[in-house]
Amino acid sequence: GTRCRHVEEHIRRNAPHKHVVLVVNKCDLVPTWVTRKWVKRLSAEYPTLAFHASITNSFGKGALINLLRQFSKLHADKRQISVGVVGYPNVGKSSIINTLKAKKVCRVAPIPGETKVWQYITLMRRIFLIDCPGVVHDVGDSEVETVLKGVVRAERLPDPSAYVGPILERVKPEYLRRQYGVGEWADAADFVARLAQRTGKLLKGGEPDVHTVSVNVINDWQRGKLPFFIAPPDERAGAEAGEELLEDEEDREEGEGQ
């Protein structure tokens, strides 16, 4: 996952007077039961909130603002309270701040590395938010895990096709078919070739543009267009999880159509 345990440990050791709040952002991309289970599990360690960052249709905004107000009252002796929004690249830190402010005050983009410097934003009297660049600590992740966590821009990868296979292993075939309209495929190379034919991404001589298609697939993964989640440790039943996700999405689509 993209939890920054090294930051939590640093605060625990060197600044125990500071409060840590975990925000499970982009909860709209997974079934409700997954979010609920993770919030319950993480709440045993720190205050944890589910959140969907959106200026017009957010979730969790009121709960987070109320929590920050409680901290403000708890530290009434302080002239101001600074709240750092810290996390991996591309997890929606700037979007959370924009949601709390109900307007665009931080630059956002669906790519890692958009925020390059600290930015201070006034949320309300005495409470300031700090938008921080993405934090990446070496936790022993493989190159594949680093890319799939959204740390590296797909356009900067020397061989993006090497990461299509791991994506296909994680995403259920029915979601891939629904997203790309590709029927069957033998392996990752065959999938990319078929997708290139379907989307017209071809080089001279009709050869598939493997690089461009692979970059597009990685971007779709990093932007949440390909459904995938890790269930809490006590709920990791792969088939059941996939079925629940499909049912959850179908229910949402039916609700939107009404």
Side-chain angles (χ1 to χ4, degrees):
T2 53
R3 183 176 176 181
C4 297
R5 291 185 180 274
H6 61 285
V7 174
E8 298 170 24
E9 183 63 19
H10 174 79
I11 293 174
R12 188 183 68 81
R13 288 184 176 181
N14 303 294
H17 60 287
K18 294 185 180 294
H19 300 278
V20 174
V21 177
L22 301 181
V23 178
V24 183
N25 193 25
K26 304 186 181 183
C27 67
D28 56 305
L29 299 180
V30 300
T32 304
W33 71 267
V34 176
T35 302
R36 185 171 59 250
K37 291 280 187 179
W38 272 117
V39 169
K40 181 180 179 181
R41 184 177 182 84
L42 295 173
S43 293
E45 302 177 56
Y46 298 104
T48 304
L49 299 172
F51 204 89
H52 167 43
S54 170
I55 293 178
T56 58
N57 187 30
S58 63
F59 176 82
K61 173 181 176 179
L64 183 53
I65 288 179
N66 287 337
L67 184 59
L68 295 180
R69 282 176 173 157
Q70 290 178 30
F71 287 145
S72 178
K73 292 179 181 178
L74 184 63
H75 298 284
D77 58 319
K78 303 292 184 181
R79 290 186 57 188
Q80 67 180 50
I81 295 176
S82 297
V83 181
V85 184
V86 183
Y88 264 72
N90 204 31
V91 296
K93 299 182 295 298
S94 300
S95 295
I96 289 175
I97 293 176
N98 289 341
T99 299
L100 295 178
K101 288 290 292 182
K103 61 180 179 180
K104 187 175 181 180
V105 293
C106 300
R107 290 183 58 184
V108 297
I111 53 176
E114 182 66 18
T115 303
K116 296 179 174 59
V117 296
W118 284 22
Q119 183 178 353
Y120 284 75
I121 296 97
T122 303
L123 178 61
M124 58 187 74
R125 189 172 63 89
R126 294 182 60 245
I127 300 181
F128 296 85
L129 304 175
I130 308 173
D131 189 19
C132 306
V135 176
V136 181
H137 188 75
D138 185 5
V139 292
D141 284 344
S142 66
E143 192 172 347
V144 169
E145 291 171 325
T146 300
V147 171
L148 298 190
K149 284 184 179 182
V151 175
V152 183
R153 294 190 185 186
E155 292 79 3
R156 295 180 177 174
L157 296 171
D159 182 18
S161 63
Y163 304 93
V164 175
I167 291 176
L168 299 186
E169 293 172 2
R170 287 164 171 78
V171 181
K172 285 185 169 292
E174 54 262 39
Y175 303 145
L176 294 167
R177 295 189 187 100
R178 184 165 59 183
Q179 176 70 21
Y180 299 115
V182 177
E184 301 293 335
W185 57 90
D187 52 27
D190 185 41
F191 177 84
V192 170
R194 289 174 182 267
L195 183 55
Q197 288 286 346
R198 189 178 186 283
T199 57
K201 297 290 191 298
L202 304 173
L203 303 173
K204 290 183 178 180
E207 290 295 315
D209 188 347
V210 174
H211 185 277
T212 298
V213 172
S214 299
V215 166
N216 291 342
V217 172
I218 295 171
N219 281 334
D220 287 344
W221 165 273
Q222 292 182 342
R223 296 171 188 180
K225 293 183 179 180
L226 300 175
F228 174 77
F229 64 87
I230 297 177
D234 58 340
E235 297 289 335
R236 288 180 183 171
E240 294 178 9
E243 291 170 4
E244 294 245 16
L245 177 56
L246 186 58
E247 291 171 1
D248 192 78
E249 287 189 343
E250 289 173 348
D251 291 343
R252 184 163 59 240
E253 289 173 359
E254 290 176 3
E256 292 173 351
Q258 294 177 352

